[in-house]
Structures are given as structure tokens and as C-alpha cells.
Amino acid sequence: MCCLILNFQRLKQVFNRRRFNILKIYGGWVFCTLFTVLLTSQQLPELKHKPVAPKQPLPFSHKTHVSQGLTCVECHTMPAPGDYAEIVGSTKCMHCHLTIKTESPSIQKLTWFHNNGRQIPWEPIYLIPDYVFFSHAVHVKEVGAQCVDCHGPVGKRDILAKERDISMTACMDCHRVKGGSLQCDYCHDTR
Ligand code: HEC
Ligand code: HEC
Ligand code: HEC
Ligand code: HEC
Ligand code: HEC
């Protein structure tokens, strides 16, 4: 709106002086366009960060499996020292899928991985670089953080995508509130 008025004023001036200064007229428009782009780009991150799910080797649904009464830590154990939450191997899956839905092509694929001793090549969703210290065990068992805090309502999802922020800012925000340290060498090896 203000762009229109601004340009109208500019046009009037130029016409009054009976001097067609192309640069001035177009300059106004260029300025307005840049201004508008700048304004909208402030809202763009919201749209841009819609989580994109990686393609998984099997159509595994957390919703289906959590509704069977399976708990998160049954499939994601945190073996000592507790940094990682592992993804359970196919042996656990076969407890059920030796008999459940065996006619399904994806269960046949699961069975193939299992019978051939292959790891299922799941695509990672949440990843932080190697130079960051992080321990699941400390956060889950000592801090009392819930899976949902850092991964969202996984049990309601058919397909997992990265829907929660695990950036340095996100870590710092919680450390500030819950009393974790903000010192660089707490999370990074600075020696
Ligand atoms: C039956 C076993 C099973 C149960 C129960 C289960 N998961 Fe999973 N989880 C998997 C498998 C298999 C994958 C890999 C496929 C995928 O990403 O959907 C996975 C992937 C994940 C990932 C992404 C891992 C990565 O690489 O970034 C997170 C986070 C996760 N699960 C959290 C949870 C939470 C929270 C719960 C409980 C609400 C839960 N899971 C329950 C089997 C399970
Ligand atoms: C407690 C039993 C149980 C366990 C353990 C289990 N599942 Fe399932 N799974 C089910 C049930 C029940 C269904 C839904 C079957 C249906 O739709 O009728 C299912 C469905 C599936 C499907 C969809 C099949 C299709 O074509 O609709 C896939 C893929 C699958 N499971 C993979 C896995 C994987 C991978 C694991 C191990 C990480 C696993 N399941 C562990 C019970 C289990
Ligand atoms: C304080 C935040 C936080 C909480 C709470 C949390 N996670 Fe994670 N999770 C992460 C981060 C950060 C990563 C990436 C770790 C990495 O790349 O080393 C991750 C990765 C994972 C992975 C992929 C394997 C791995 O360890 O890299 C799985 C599976 C997972 N989380 C499951 C869970 C489950 C299940 C719970 C609840 C019992 C849980 N997480 C609680 C932050 C959290
Ligand atoms: C839910 C809030 C919360 C989030 C999110 C969170 N932290 Fe923490 N973290 C804490 C608290 C509180 C402590 C202090 C635990 C203590 O002193 O017993 C802690 C402790 C730690 C420790 C010290 C662990 C140890 O061995 O004693 C590291 C390293 C750490 N956090 C890294 C991270 C990183 C990296 C992230 C982001 C990926 C993160 N944290 C996200 C709350 C959080
Ligand atoms: C609570 C944990 C935590 C603390 C404390 C922390 N960082 Fe980080 N830092 C992270 C995580 C997590 C990442 C990885 C972010 C990512 O890749 O998404 C990171 C990434 C970085 C990077 C790489 C940034 C990039 O854009 O690739 C630098 C540099 C860095 N941190 C410096 C610092 C400095 C300097 C301090 C002290 C003021 C500090 N960090 C304190 C968790 C932490």
C-alpha cells in the first residue's frame, strides 16, 4: 500500500517537472519489491522448515506399533555409556512378524533382511555432528526429559520426520531453563 502511494507521489513529481526520469520511477519499484521480499522472507523459515521425511527401507509406522502397547525403550535401548538410543534389530521384529502380516511384501523384505543377517539400513532422522557431546541416558534418566521433548509425538506418527529442533540454540534454551551448563566445553571438546 505504502509502496503504491510512494510511487504515485514520485510519478506525480516527475510528471509535474515534465521530466521522465526512468531511473527514479523504476528505482521506486525496485526498492518496494526488495522491501516486500525482505518482509515476507521473515515468515518464510516457518514454511521452509516443514519436516521432510527420508525414504525408509520399510514402511514402519510408530503409530501402529506403539498402539500395540510397545514402549519406546523396548525398541530403543540405551546401552552403556548411554549416548545412543539404538534401533532394535530384526530379531525383535520377528517375534511378531514370523506370524503377523506375512503375506505383505514389506514383511517379506523384513524377513529377508533377518534371514540373511543384514542390518536394516534405516535412514537417520535426528543427527548431531561428532564434535558435540550428547548422552541420551543423562537426559532421560537424570534430567527426566521425555522423548517427546526432543522428538515430538512419535507414537502418533505413521512416518517420522525431524519435527523438533536439536540445534545448539535448542540445547542452550533448555540448559538455561533447567540448569544445564552453557560453557562451550560442556558440549564441545575445546582442548
Ligand atoms: C517396534 C519397535 C519400535 C518402537 C516401539 C518405537 N520405535 Fe522408534 N524407531 C523404530 C524403528 C524401526 C525406527 C527406524 C524407522 C523410522 O525412522 O521410522 C525408529 C526410529 C525412531 C527415531 C528416529 C531415529 C533416528 O535415526 O533419528 C526416533 C526419534 C524414535 N524412533 C523414537 C521413538 C519413540 C519416542 C518411541 C515411543 C513413543 C518409539 N520410537 C517407539 C522402532 C521402534
Ligand atoms: C508386538 C508385535 C510387533 C512387533 C515387535 C513388531 N511389529 Fe510390525 N506390526 C505389528 C502389527 C500388529 C502390525 C499391523 C498389521 C496389520 O496391519 O494387520 C505391524 C505392521 C508392520 C508393518 C506394515 C506391514 C504392512 O504391509 O502393512 C511393517 C513394515 C512392520 N510392522 C515392521 C516392523 C519392524 C521393522 C519391526 C521391528 C523394528 C516390527 N514391525 C515389530 C506387530 C509388531
Ligand atoms: C534432550 C533431548 C533428547 C531426548 C529427551 C531424547 N532424545 Fe533421542 N536424540 C536426541 C539427539 C540430539 C539425537 C541425535 C544424537 C546423535 O546424533 O548422536 C537423538 C537421536 C535419537 C535416535 C537415533 C539414534 C541416536 O542415538 O543417534 C533415537 C532412536 C532416539 N533419539 C530415540 C529417543 C527415545 C526413544 C527417547 C526417549 C526415551 C529420546 N530419544 C529422548 C535428543 C534427545
Ligand atoms: C529438556 C532440557 C534439555 C535439553 C533439550 C538438552 N539438555 Fe543437555 N542437560 C540438561 C540438564 C538439566 C543437564 C544437567 C544434568 C546434570 O547436571 O545432572 C544437561 C546435561 C548435559 C550434558 C552433560 C552430561 C553429562 O555427562 O553430565 C551435556 C553434554 C548436554 N546436556 C548436552 C546437550 C545437547 C548437545 C543438547 C541438544 C542436542 C541438550 N543437552 C539438550 C537439559 C537439557
Ligand atoms: C548445550 C550444548 C552446547 C553448548 C553449551 C555449546 N554448544 Fe556449540 N553446538 C552444539 C550443538 C548441538 C551443535 C550442532 C548444531 C547443528 O549442527 O545443528 C553445535 C555447533 C557449534 C558450532 C558449529 C556451528 C555451525 O554452524 O556449524 C560452533 C562453532 C559451536 N557450536 C561453538 C560453540 C561455542 C563457542 C560455545 C560456547 C559459547 C558452544 N558452542 C556451546 C551444542 C552446544
Side-chain angles (χ1 to χ4, degrees), residues 46-67:
E46 286 273 303
L47 301 171
K48 267 198 274 181
H49 285 118
K50 266 212 147 157
V52 182
K55 190 159 168 27
Q56 297 293 359
L58 297 171
F60 178 83
S61 159
H62 275 84
K63 192 174 165 190
T64 302
H65 290 87
V66 171
S67 71

Side-chain angles (χ1 to χ4, degrees), residues 33-44:
T33 316
L34 282 178
F35 187 67
T36 317
V37 166
L38 210 88
L39 266 185
T40 42
S41 69
Q42 302 279 300
Q43 281 136 34
L44 274 183

Side-chain angles (χ1 to χ4, degrees), residues 117-191:
R118 300 286 177 88
Q119 288 239 328
I120 305 168
W122 302 114
E123 285 294 330
I125 299 166
Y126 290 91
L127 257 187
I128 46 172
D130 286 344
Y131 57 79
V132 184
F133 303 139
F134 178 76
S135 160
H136 268 93
V138 167
H139 288 85
V140 173
K141 291 175 189 154
E142 285 172 35
V143 176
Q146 306 289 311
C147 312
V148 67
D149 295 338
C150 299
H151 300 303
V154 171
K156 294 192 180 129
R157 301 286 180 252
D158 280 318
I159 295 170
L160 274 203
K162 188 178 170 212
E163 57 183 287
R164 288 289 161 95
D165 189 12
I166 51 163
S167 66
M168 179 163 138
T169 316
C171 313
M172 294 286 222
D173 283 348
C174 187
H175 278 207
R176 211 169 276 124
V177 175
K178 296 261 172 87
S181 172
L182 302 179
Q183 298 277 320
C184 312
D185 63 0
Y186 201 56
C187 300
H188 302 298
D189 194 347
T190 53
R191 278 168 302 150

Side-chain angles (χ1 to χ4, degrees), residues 2-43:
C2 72
C3 289
L4 281 178
I5 295 166
L6 221 125
N7 273 284
F8 187 65
Q9 296 276 343
R10 163 72 73 215
L11 274 175
K12 242 172 59 183
Q13 268 179 25
V14 172
F15 275 110
N16 285 347
R17 283 195 225 130
R18 302 189 152 278
R19 191 155 56 89
F20 287 85
N21 189 333
I22 301 281
L23 255 181
K24 275 188 183 160
I25 301 172
Y26 285 106
W29 282 112
V30 169
F31 176 76
C32 283
T33 316
L34 282 178
F35 187 67
T36 317
V37 166
L38 210 88
L39 266 185
T40 42
S41 69
Q42 302 279 300
Q43 281 136 34

